[in-house]
Amino acid sequence: MKKPLVGALFAVLLFGAGIAPATAATSHGAAPAGHAAVKAEKEIRAKAVNFAGTVALSNCSGSVVRTPSSQPGDPALVLSNGHCLETGFPAPGAVVFNRSSTRSFTLLNASGSGVGTVRASKIAYGTMTDTDISVYQLTSTYAQIESRYGIKALELSTTHPVAGTAITVASGYWKRLYSCNVDGFVYRLKEGNWTWKDSVRYTSACQTIGGTSGSPVIDDATGKVVAVNNTGNEDGQRCTDNNPCEVDESGQVTVRQGINYAQETYGIAACIGTGNVFDLNRAGCTLPKP
């Protein structure tokens, strides 16, 4: 996993928690010819995605999210990783469900400035089985957040991401954007004791670091969240902590040092009903149950 701050401690000493290095914007696919073309592409992508709606946790990144059916008066939700939970890493097979929490999050505006603090009322859902997600329910509604801070929630896509899509990983912790493409999908991504299904593999331009865990992965064209950033192979090791390996349908293992990954989020909305309440028995909900 891009464990909370592991791999970023040196940067913390240099910059201080919550203060980022310069924003990274990289080209994707075939490089345009000439410096001017590269600069123009970077500027276009920088305008397409910003930090509005992202949050900084004490040790990770996240975002305020909504489903297509969420209402302004519903309690808002914050999406991050299961391995970012304040309760520690959930064991394989474990699900955290409707557990009280008072965790706070720094809400960011488009430029990455903190505009206020929002607070959880509970961990609505969290797991590291099949996927690596946590969803907090806040004490504030979407309408209250928009009225108070002028910030709208990011919408969760309800369709499977597509290979080749231009994406941006927006880290609220580091106030840093990573731009690349969806390189493909991994049948099983195994890291230590955990196994994740149908994971997103980035192209090499997204060199995410510790503290970016939980960052929303945003489709540049739609502005919707298609995945949540969670891990990368740091040292070239095989299937160990911080060194996930890819396992295909036949059991063949592939190690890609320096490549980073995310977990798809399109299935989350199917598990959320009226009032933004998680209902794991809803039709179409495939998230692991407690």
Side-chain angles (χ1 to χ4, degrees), residues 259-276:
I259 294 300
N260 296 289
Y261 302 89
Q263 300 308 307
E264 296 165 354
T265 52
Y266 73 96
I268 294 176
C271 302
I272 299 175
T274 302
N276 266 0

Side-chain angles (χ1 to χ4, degrees), residues 54-58 64 78 102-109 113-120 138-141 144-145 148-149 151:
T54 64
V55 299
L57 286 66
S58 57
V64 179
V78 163
T102 58
R103 194 168 195 182
S104 61
F105 312 88
T106 301
L107 181 66
L108 306 185
N109 63 14
S113 297
V115 294
T117 300
V118 292
R119 191 172 299 276
L138 302 184
T139 58
S140 305
T141 66
Q144 288 170 334
I145 291 173
R148 192 173 302 158
Y149 305 114
I151 301 296

Side-chain angles (χ1 to χ4, degrees), residues 4-31:
L5 306 189
V6 172
L9 292 178
F10 179 67
V12 171
L13 294 174
L14 286 177
F15 299 102
I19 302 177
T23 295
T26 58
S27 60
H28 61 283

